[in-house]
Amino acid sequence: MGSLAESSVLQSPVFTKQPGSIVYPVETVENGREVVFSCEARGSPAPAYRWKLNGTEILPKAGSHFSLSGGNLRISRLNRDRDAGTYQCLASNSFGTIVSREASLTFAYLESFKTQRRSPVSVREGQGMVLLCGPPPHSGDLVFSWIFNESTTFVQQETRRFISQETGNLYIAKVEPSDVGNYTCVVTNTVTKTRVQGPSTPLVLRSDGDFLWMEESELFPPFLFFISSPSPAPSITWRREDGAPFPRKVDTRKTNGVLEIPYFQQDDVGTYECVAENSRGMNKVKGKLSFYAPPHLIEKPQDVQKLIDDSLVWECKATGKPKPSYRWMKNGENLESTEERIQVANGVLSISRLTLSDTGMYQCVAGNKHGEVYSNAELRVIAAAPDFSHNQLRSQTMVKVGGDVLVECRPKMSPWGVISWRKGSEPLQQSNSQLESGSTPTPQEGRGKEGQYMNQASVITTQPSTLDATVGESVVLPCQVSHDPSLELKFTWFFNEQLIHFGSHDGFFEKVGGQHSAGDIMIRNIQLKHAGKYTCAVQTKVDSISVALDLIVRGPPAPPTQIHVEEITDTTASLSWRPGPDNHSPITAYTIQARTPFSLGWQAVTTVPEVVGGRQLTAVVIDLNPWVEYEFRVLASNRIGTGEPSKPSKQARTKSTSPKVTPANVSGGGGSRSELVITWEPVPEELQNGPGFGYVVAFRPHGATGWMQAAVPSPEASRYVFKNESIQPFSPFHVKVGVYNNEGEGPFGPVITIYSAEEEPGRAPTRVRARSLSAAEIEVSWKALPWNASKRRVLGYELRYWSKSEREDTASVQRTVGNQTSSVIRGLRGSTSYYISVRAYNTAGTGPPSSTVNVTTKKPPPSQPPDKVMWNTSNSKIIVNWEQVKALENESEVTGYKVLYKKNRHSRPSVMETNTTSVELALPTDEDYIIQIKPFGEGGDGSSSRQITIPKTAGTTAVGSASKVSTLSALSTIALSFTARTSL
C-alpha cells in the first residue's frame, strides 16, 4: 500500500530529545541533590510517557523519589545502590509505543589503596624499568601522576619518562643515579575531584655490570611508547609494518621515543614497529593499533500501510566494529513471537498473513559493545471493501425437489463483514440457518403439498470433540458418514479454516479412509504447529454437512523469554527470566547455558541452586571467569522433553580482578652471546582477569639470593631477553614468570632452571677425509672435538660442499646430530669435482671451518637398459636371458647386473646380483611374477629394463620345440608388458 502520508493530521510518536548517560559523584549523594533524565517526543495525539529502570517499569507514587515532568524523569534523594542502572523512556499514543536509547546512571567514586608497603625495585644504571601503579577500586575516569621523594611537584614527562594514562604505570628509560629514591603514584578521579596516594615504591640502583634492557612495547592509543637503554645511545626510528608512509599529522617527539597519532582514524589502523640501532646491534618491537566504532544505521525501516493478509518485510542495516547484532521491538517490548509467520534474521523482520493485531510501532535496535542505535517505523494494517469480482453468484443452481439448496456468497473483503440477502426486492430475514460464510439455505416448495421440507442426504456418525496427542506421535482424525448410497460423497478437510492440500504440508497429512463412507485422515510425526481446529466437510450434489474437533498437541516447552542479567560480579551472574508456554505439560526444570568469545558454542554452566526447578525463575551462575563477556540462555524441560533455547541475553562482562593463572611451559635458553632468553606460552585472554595485563619476569644466577625483575606489559608477549656482558656462557639461572593487570599483581609460576646462551665452538674439526662412493655420493669423515672447560658444547657438525664451478658462499649445507664422525652426501653430479669443509655447531652458531678437502665423483652409471630380455620355464624354474649392456665413453663400466623380482605390484622386491647375462630363478608356478633387470658399476645403478610379467604355470614345459613355443609366448607377454606396465 506504500508509505504513510506525512501530511496526515494524526502522527505516530517520534523522539525529539532522548536521555543521555550521567556519572554522578557518590560523595554528594547524601546532600539531597537530584538528577534529571530528559525525554521529549512529538506525535498526534500527544504522547504519554513511561520510564523503565533495568527493564522494570517505574511507577511514581506520592512521596516517591521518582517524579515525571512532561517526559522528563526527576530522581531525588539519590541512593547509590538503589538508583544506579540503565534507564529508558517510553513514549506512547494511539499508534503505538517507542522506546528511547539506553542511558546509564553511575556513581563515581575512588577508594583508597589497600596495600601499605611495596617491595624495592632493584635496577642497574642504564637499565630501563617500569613502576606499577595498580589503582584502587573506582568508578569514573582517572588521571595518573607520580611524586618523587615527597616532592611538592609531580614527575614530568620528558625524553626518559612516560606515564601511561591507561594503567598509571611510570616508565623510565636508561636509569641514572639521580633517579634513585621513593616513587608514589597519585590517582585523581576527574568526576569526584578526589585524589588518593598509593604506597611508595623505593627504586634502588645496582652497579654490577652493563647490559641491554629491551621491553615489549605497551599500547596507549593515540601514543606508542618505546623503552631502550643500551650504551652507546641508539638511534630510534618508527615505521608501519605494511610500509605505508606516515601522514603529516603524525609527530615523533621526545628523541623519537614517542609516536603521537592525533585525530585517530580508520586509516591509522595497523601494526607499528619501533627500531633501536647502535654500533652493537639492532632490536625492534611491535605494537598493534585497532579501530572500534559504535553502530551507525545505513538502512532504516520506513512507515508503511498494509492490507490484512498481506506480507511485510523490513530490513535494518548498520555499520560498526565489532559487527553489530540486531533485535526488534514492538510497542516498547522485545519482539519474541513464537508464531511461524513472524521471522527475524540478521536485521530483517518479515511478517506474513498480517492481522489487525500487528498494527503498532516497531523499532530496530543495532548494537555492539560500544553502544546501540534505534530506528522507528509504524505499521498500519487496514481493511478492504467487499469485492465480488472473483467469486460471483452462480446464475442457476439445480436442487432435489423438496430438498435444500446452498447459495454461496463469498466476496473478497478484509476483514470479514456482515452479509444480508434479498429475494427480488424483498429482504430475507436472517435466521439461525444462515451460514457465517455468507451462504444461505433456501427452502423449496414441494410438488402437490404446501410446506417446507428438510431432507438431509448424509449424517456424520463419528463426532469426537477433542483429541490429545504428543509431539512425534501419529494420530487419526475420524470422519465417517451414514448416507444415501446413491449419492457420491466428497470429503474436504480444513485446518484452522484453511483448506488442507494433501500431498503438500511436508507430507504430514495423509488420507487413510479406506471405505466409501469414511474420510479419515492421519497426521504423521505430529508437531506443535499442528494443534488447532480441524473441520471435516462432507458434500453431495444436494447437501453438505461438517463436523469440527480440537486437536491438543503436548510437547516440550516453548523458549523462555526476557532473559536478564540482574547482577554480575567477577565470578557470578544473577539471572532472571519469564516462562514460555508449557505446551500442555507443566515445566519441571530449567537449564542455563553460556557462551563467550572464547568458547566453542554454548556450554552448560554451574548454578545455585544446582537444579533449577520448574517454578523457579531466577538462578545464580557461578565459576565464571573474570573480565569476560558472557551471553546466557535458558532452556525449559517437561516430562516430554527439553524445548528450544531462549534468545541470548545481552552481553554482560564480569568484573575484573587480579590475575590468578601464570604462563605455561616456561623455558628458554639459546640466543646470542651474553644473553638469557626466557620464553613462555601467553596466558589466554579469557584467563587474564582484567585490562592492563602483562608479565613480570624474575631471574637470578644460580646461587644468588636477590631477584632481578622486568615487566613485560604486553598480554601477547611470549619471550624476554636479558643481555649482560658479564653473563658467562651456558650459566644456570633460576627463572620464574608472574602476571599482573590493572587490579594488581598475581602469583609467580614455579621456579625453573634456564641456561644462558653458550659460545659457538672455538676449534675446527681435524683429519677431514672424503671419498667418492658413486657418481652421486661422497662419504666424509673427521675427528670429533672434545667437550672442554669453556662449555663450548658441540651439538653436531655442519658439512658445507660446493662444486668447482660454484662459489663457496653459495655452498650447500648438511648437518649431523650428536657425536657422529662421518656422513654421506647424496644427490651429487657424476664426474664432478667438489670442495668440502666441516664445522662444529651448537645453539650459539658454528665454529671455525676445517681445512677444505677436494674429491671427484665417479663416472655416471650406464644409461642404456638391458635389451632383448627373454625367459622360459622348466620344472618350476624360470630362466631369464638378456643382451649385454655396453657403457658409453663417459660412463662407468658395467661390473654386474641386479635382477629384481616380486610376486605382485604391491610387494617388496627381492634382489639377485650376477656378473653374467642370464639367471635361473626357482619360483612357484601358482603365482604371477614381475621381473626387472638393471646394470651397475662403480658409478652406481644404471637404467632398468621395463617390467616383465611372468604368468603362473600349471605344470612343466617340454624341452626342444616346446621350449621354442614357450619362448614365443614369453616374447608375446613381454611385448604386452612393455605397453601396459610401468617401472618398479
Side-chain angles (χ1 to χ4, degrees), residues 171-182:
Y171 296 81
I172 303 178
K174 199 173 183 181
V175 172
E176 299 175 354
S178 60
D179 296 321
V180 172
N182 293 320

Side-chain angles (χ1 to χ4, degrees), residues 442-621:
T442 304
Q444 302 294 308
E445 293 183 357
R447 290 184 180 179
K449 187 176 182 180
E450 294 182 354
Q452 179 175 325
Y453 293 86
M454 303 295 292
N455 182 15
Q456 284 189 320
S458 310
V459 175
I460 296 179
T461 59
T462 55
Q463 298 186 9
S465 59
T466 59
L467 283 177
D468 194 312
T470 301
V471 167
E473 295 179 345
S474 297
V475 64
V476 174
L477 307 185
C479 185
Q480 298 184 2
V481 180
S482 172
H483 68 101
D484 186 336
S486 64
L487 296 177
E488 183 178 350
L489 300 180
K490 179 181 179 182
F491 292 91
T492 307
W493 280 88
F494 298 87
F495 173 41
N496 291 337
E497 301 182 0
Q498 298 293 320
L499 178 65
I500 296 177
H501 297 280
F502 294 93
S504 59
H505 301 282
D506 297 324
F508 286 104
F509 297 102
E510 178 183 342
K511 290 183 178 180
V512 294
Q515 303 175 1
H516 177 66
S517 59
D520 302 351
I521 66 171
M522 175 182 286
I523 308 176
R524 297 187 181 276
N525 188 23
I526 200 165
Q527 302 297 311
L528 289 171
K529 64 183 180 181
H530 296 136
K533 179 182 178 182
Y534 288 82
T535 303
C536 175
V538 186
Q539 186 177 1
T540 68
K541 290 183 178 180
V542 297
D543 67 349
S544 64
I545 54 176
S546 64
V547 64
L549 62 87
D550 291 319
L551 176 61
I552 297 173
V553 180
R554 305 183 189 276
T561 62
Q562 300 180 34
I563 316 302
H564 291 297
V565 181
E566 304 292 346
E567 184 180 355
I568 195 162
T569 68
D570 56 343
T571 59
T572 67
S574 300
L575 303 183
S576 67
W577 61 89
R578 302 299 302 167
D582 64 7
N583 292 327
H584 307 289
S585 179
I587 296 173
T588 57
Y590 289 98
T591 302
I592 300 176
Q593 297 176 338
R595 70 178 176 186
T596 73
F598 316 106
S599 63
L600 296 175
W602 292 93
Q603 306 289 333
V605 293
T606 306
T607 61
V608 175
E610 185 175 352
V611 177
V612 183
R615 294 186 179 182
Q616 191 163 346
L617 301 178
T618 61
V620 177
V621 182

Side-chain angles (χ1 to χ4, degrees), residues 607-837:
T607 61
V608 175
E610 185 175 352
V611 177
V612 183
R615 294 186 179 182
Q616 191 163 346
L617 301 178
T618 61
V620 177
V621 182
I622 61 174
D623 297 336
L624 302 179
N625 288 329
W627 203 62
V628 172
E629 285 189 337
Y630 281 89
E631 291 178 285
F632 300 95
R633 70 180 187 184
V634 183
L635 300 85
S637 302
N638 56 20
R639 67 176 184 84
I640 298 173
T642 300
E644 292 295 316
S646 69
K647 292 184 177 181
S649 67
K650 288 184 180 180
Q651 283 188 338
R653 184 184 287 273
T654 48
K655 306 291 185 182
S656 59
T657 186
S658 58
K660 303 296 187 294
V661 177
T662 58
N665 295 330
V666 178
S667 60
S672 301
R673 176 182 293 183
S674 301
E675 285 185 347
L676 175 65
V677 179
I678 303 168
T679 62
W680 61 86
E681 287 186 11
V683 174
E685 184 179 347
E686 64 268 30
L687 301 178
Q688 293 173 8
N689 288 13
F693 182 85
Y695 304 93
V696 179
V697 182
F699 50 94
R700 65 186 179 189
H702 195 278
T705 56
W707 291 91
M708 292 177 282
Q709 293 189 8
V712 183
S714 172
E716 294 85 15
S718 61
R719 71 194 304 264
Y720 173 77
V721 179
F722 171 64
K723 187 174 181 68
N724 189 323
E725 296 296 338
S726 65
I727 295 179
Q728 293 298 313
F730 208 62
S731 298
F733 278 77
H734 287 161
V735 175
K736 59 182 180 179
V737 181
V739 288
Y740 70 92
N741 61 20
N742 288 352
E743 297 294 332
E745 298 181 9
F748 277 95
V751 177
I752 67 167
T753 299
I754 297 175
Y755 286 84
S756 63
E758 55 192 341
E759 291 184 323
E760 62 274 7
R763 296 169 55 187
T766 59
R767 299 183 186 177
V768 178
R769 303 287 187 270
R771 67 186 183 95
S772 174
L773 299 180
S774 67
E777 297 175 326
I778 292 175
E779 182 182 50
V780 184
S781 62
W782 59 90
K783 182 180 179 182
L785 292 177
W787 180 281
N788 56 35
S790 66
K791 298 184 179 179
R792 301 188 181 196
R793 295 187 305 166
V794 175
L795 296 182
Y797 295 89
E798 181 179 280
L799 284 65
R800 293 174 178 256
Y801 58 95
W802 63 98
S803 67
K804 187 175 182 180
S805 61
E806 297 173 333
R807 301 195 315 272
E808 182 177 355
D809 57 2
T810 63
S812 300
V813 176
Q814 178 172 304
R815 279 192 166 189
T816 67
V817 178
N819 204 27
Q820 185 175 336
T821 58
S822 67
S823 182
V824 176
I825 302 175
R826 294 182 171 85
L828 304 176
R829 299 191 299 273
S831 301
T832 303
S833 180
Y834 284 92
Y835 297 94
I836 304 167
S837 68

Side-chain angles (χ1 to χ4, degrees), residues 149 153 172 349 430 437 492 522 760 802 909 984:
N149 284 341
T153 59
I172 303 178
L349 170 64
Q430 186 173 1
S437 65
T492 307
M522 175 182 286
E760 62 274 7
W802 63 98
L984 285 173

Side-chain angles (χ1 to χ4, degrees), residues 242-282:
D242 58 9
F246 289 146
R248 291 183 178 180
K249 66 179 181 177
V250 174
D251 178 33
T252 56
R253 57 191 177 90
K254 299 183 180 178
T255 320
N256 291 340
V258 175
L259 174 67
E260 181 177 357
I261 307 175
Y263 315 114
F264 185 74
Q265 301 294 328
Q266 178 72 42
D267 294 341
D268 298 320
V269 169
T271 299
Y272 289 77
E273 189 173 65
C274 177
V275 181
E277 187 172 9
N278 64 10
S279 58
R280 295 171 57 187
M282 181 188 72

